[in-house]
Amino acid sequence: MTRAEKEQLIAELSAALGESNAVVVCDYKGLKCQELEKVRHLAAENGVHVKVVKNTLATLALRNAGIEGLELKDTNVLVWGEDQINTCKVADKAATEFKDRFVIKSGALEGKAVDLGTILAMAKLPSRDELIGMLLNVWMAPIRNFTIGLDALRKKREEEEA
């Protein structure tokens, strides 16, 4: 890679990481190319980005994006996206599927470094769509119960008339 290409990569990565709300650093040592493609495909389905970048370039891009406190050692892949929960879920799902070959190391939420426990906790939360479904279910419960009560009353009156 030439110096100009590296500078362009750092600029693009800095802009992308600066706009994201979540960045997860994972170790992918021992992961086969096909398996990494599965991770990329899973990420694309969820609106998340995955990129393998040299540690020095990634450190510069993270610093330019205002994300401090992430140490990059050994082999690293960056997973980032707008939605914090989806980003953490993608990393967690890949770590679960590829056990010892894909390991979550650390991450940053809203520009602040967080530990592994926080990332795993975020991955366990329901997604935005699931939360909306739960909320709608709660809102519809009184109406559902009212209609069930009216139906039971109708059946009782029909039995009394018969």
Side-chain angles (χ1 to χ4, degrees), residues 10-11 28 37-38 45 49 74 87 98 113 140:
I10 291 170
Y28 70 102
E37 284 303 313
K38 281 185 181 179
E45 288 175 351
H49 307 282
D74 299 326
T87 304
F98 302 115
M140 295 301 289

Side-chain angles (χ1 to χ4, degrees), residues 68-113:
E68 297 287 334
L70 295 180
E71 288 188 34
L72 302 176
K73 294 179 182 174
D74 299 326
T75 55
N76 295 305
V77 62
L78 297 179
V79 180
W80 74 91
E82 288 289 317
D83 187 359
Q84 295 175 355
I85 295 173
N86 271 350
T87 304
C88 293
K89 279 184 183 280
V90 166
D92 185 49
K93 198 176 283 186
T96 303
E97 187 175 341
F98 302 115
K99 298 272 185 239
D100 297 328
R101 295 170 303 196
F102 192 93
V103 179
I104 299 172
K105 289 178 160 182
S106 63
L109 300 175
E110 296 179 358
K112 294 184 171 72

Side-chain angles (χ1 to χ4, degrees), residues 89 125-135:
K89 279 184 183 280
L125 292 174
S127 70
R128 181 178 183 271
D129 292 338
E130 291 170 337
L131 286 173
I132 289 172
M134 293 165 126
L135 182 63

Side-chain angles (χ1 to χ4, degrees), residues 134-145:
M134 293 165 126
L135 182 63
L136 288 175
N137 194 23
V138 169
W139 283 349
M140 295 301 289
I143 295 169
R144 188 179 317 112
N145 291 338

